[in-house]
Amino acid sequence: MTLHADLDAVLRKHLKYVDGEALDPDRPLRDLGLDSMRAIDLLFALEDTFHVVIPDELLTDHTFATGRSLQVTVDRLRRQATQPTDG
Amino acid sequence: MIAERYRDAVATVTAVAEVHAAGNDRHAVFPKEALHELRETKLLGLLVPAEYGGPGGELDDLVDITIELGRHDLSVAMIFAMHCQQVRTLACCAGPRLRAQVLPAVAEGELYLASVTTEPSTGAQLLVSGSTTSLVAGQVVVDRMAPIVTGGSHADAFLITVRSPDGSPNQVDLVYATADQLTAEVTGTWDALGMRATESVPMHLAGAVPATQIVSSHQDYRSIVATVFAPVAHLGWAAAWLGTALGAYSRVIGHIRGPAGRRGFDPGSDLLKTRLATCRANLDVTHALLRHTARAIATDSDIARTGVQLLVNTLKTESAVRCFEVVHELVELAGLRHGYLPDSPLRLERSFRDLRSASLNFGNDRLRLVNGSLALMDTRSDLV
Ligand SMILES: Cc1cc2nc3c(=O)[nH]c(=O)nc-3n(C[C@H](O)[C@H](O)[C@H](O)COP(=O)(O)OP(=O)(O)OC[C@H]3O[C@@H](n4cnc5c(N)ncnc54)[C@H](O)[C@@H]3O)c2cc1C
């Protein structure tokens, strides 16, 4: 699996220690320089780019662990956003 | 209140600290007399669990004792609190082998531990390290500048943050090293405005220690910082600062009530009363926050959660600001003779200089920035 190009691009801006290569989806983002202060900026960037709202209960270390975990979360939220709701 | 079993020991230490405080401050030298008593009374082993020969003291004991030490000498209180922070971290997070190697000696008063977290390149940040290490034949090779180490040239051992062997700057380890495993070179002097008796010298630490001395190989470093290292530091610092502000405040009250004070002050003055009330309010608010945070740390099932982390950081920033405000106000109240001159028995001048360090000792701005980010992650804003 590789990350969506737009996710790779957003992530890259918030990680201090990445090189030119495509991001390894399973590399811990912490190791690449994500800290709590950068995480909040990343959160806003993700929400703006993908037009989703990441709810509080998903603002966990688990969600922000790797590129893959973020991609799964964002994909799911986008699917939910486009699904018709009752009423 | 200090538990009965520690009371005599604390009284012994404070009596000695009191005698040497002014001289140590003047000459910016370490309170070795007080450290000697901390060793002899075994208070250095306060937080060592009973299974390793210690009294198994709790965080409340640390807070009570540090406040009392702070009343007499902030440098001594800080030295004690920071040592206890290292001990607690080892007791909680080190592997069984390292615990068995270190804790019994701490309980006997044989080991005084210093803390090395600050780095020239990354400042006070705990979660980043620029000090690279390598692993050679089961040994961690450490070679690190340490710009400010409280009691560094008097310590028997150090807990040191370093970059994990071959890791990125965000991969940090906490390593235990004894003074005789390292070449610990003092590279400068400590001639500071206050906290002069902490003798917080710059050092260069180099050497190799067995990989079994990596504390964080047994528990994730970030979780150690969030659940033990930072909370216990903030509790200890806040207690030390509160003790010093409290000591200054009570000396001023005693002075106003005494015969000399009656001549110099008008206890009927409205200004004097409102100033004292403001000081007392700052002391009570700090104390309440300190006790509340201590309880949260002792009882919350998840100290790493956002609400508790916010509280732990707020304790640091608020106690730093308020305790300094107390002595600032007391200087204004007491005036030049007792507020500004170093030979006054009220010792406001020294307390003022010492407490000025509080907001800088892990920069308040830095912590507020962290707390601002955490706040944005907490939409419901449930208070702890
Ligand atoms: C008495 C005393 C004893 C100490 N003992 C020890 C010890 O034993 N071991 C040890 O390792 N360290 C020790 N320290 C160092 C301490 O832990 C801090 O690292 C140090 O005080 C921070 O120094 P700094 O202000 O230069 O660094 P920084 O934290 O880099 O701050 C510099 C300035 O920039 C601001 N700033 C920095 N980063 C940010 C940011 N992200 N956002 C906004 N503002 C920011 C700060 O508020 C400050 O004004 C001690 C400090 C004192 C005062």
Side-chain angles (χ1 to χ4, degrees), chain A residues 16-17 27 29-40 43-44 56 59 61 64, chain B residues 125 127-128 168-171 222 306 366 369-370 372-374 376-381:
Chain A
K16 229 159 122 184
Y17 311 113
R27 191 74 200 277
L29 297 178
R30 294 281 183 195
D31 295 354
L32 296 173
L34 190 71
D35 57 24
S36 58
M37 284 191 279
R38 283 168 199 276
I40 191 72
L43 167 74
F44 287 130
D56 271 12
L59 297 181
D61 279 353
F64 285 84
Chain B
Q125 301 179 71
L127 299 175
V128 184
S168 79
N170 267 38
Q171 291 169 287
R222 300 184 60 84
T306 305
R366 219 185 244 290
L369 211 64
V370 173
S373 301
L374 290 176
L376 283 169
M377 297 245 187
D378 189 19
T379 317
R380 271 188 52 82
S381 309

Side-chain angles (χ1 to χ4, degrees), chain B residues 61-285:
Chain B
D61 297 314
L62 170 66
V63 167
D64 292 336
I65 294 172
T66 304
I67 290 176
E68 184 59 25
L69 295 177
R71 279 178 178 259
H72 299 269
D73 185 340
L74 185 51
S75 290
V76 171
M78 273 300 201
I79 287 162
F80 175 73
M82 285 172 59
H83 161 85
C84 288
Q85 176 208 5
Q86 317 311 308
V87 175
R88 182 74 166 193
T89 303
L90 285 166
C92 292
C93 314
R97 193 157 145 194
L98 187 57
R99 285 205 302 264
Q101 180 187 330
V102 179
L103 294 176
V106 175
E108 287 305 311
E110 290 162 12
L111 283 179
Y112 160 55
L113 307 180
S115 167
V116 180
T117 57
T118 306
E119 290 190 45
S121 57
T122 58
Q125 301 179 71
L126 280 176
L127 299 175
V128 184
S129 173
S131 301
T132 50
T133 51
S134 49
L135 206 52
V136 180
Q139 301 260 317
V140 192
V141 181
V142 177
D143 186 350
R144 185 197 202 284
M145 299 306 291
I148 168 161
V149 188
T150 290
S153 37
H154 302 266
D156 305 300
F158 305 86
L159 273 193
I160 309 168
T161 55
V162 293
R163 198 191 287 191
S164 310
D166 306 318
S168 79
N170 267 38
Q171 291 169 287
V172 181
D173 277 330
L174 194 58
V175 174
Y176 173 82
T178 60
D180 50 21
Q181 287 175 318
L182 298 171
T183 318
E185 184 199 350
V186 176
T187 58
T189 53
W190 172 250
D191 188 9
L193 173 70
M195 302 305 291
R196 291 170 60 81
T198 60
E199 213 185 297
S200 301
V201 287
M203 301 182 92
H204 177 210
L205 304 173
V209 303
T212 49
Q213 291 181 206
I214 303 177
V215 179
S216 47
S217 61
H218 298 269
Q219 193 181 328
D220 170 50
Y221 174 76
R222 300 184 60 84
S223 115
I224 295 178
V225 168
T227 60
V228 185
F229 203 65
V232 178
H234 294 189
L235 277 187
W237 294 344
W241 297 328
L242 176 62
T244 294
L246 206 50
Y249 171 81
S250 87
R251 287 192 297 275
V252 168
I253 305 252
H255 181 75
I256 295 170
R257 299 280 307 270
R262 284 293 173 77
R263 271 179 265 121
F265 292 94
D266 172 12
S269 149
D270 285 352
L271 185 57
L272 181 134
K273 284 186 198 139
T274 51
R275 280 185 168 149
L276 285 180
T278 304
C279 291
R280 177 72 191 212
N282 272 324
L283 293 166
D284 275 329
V285 169

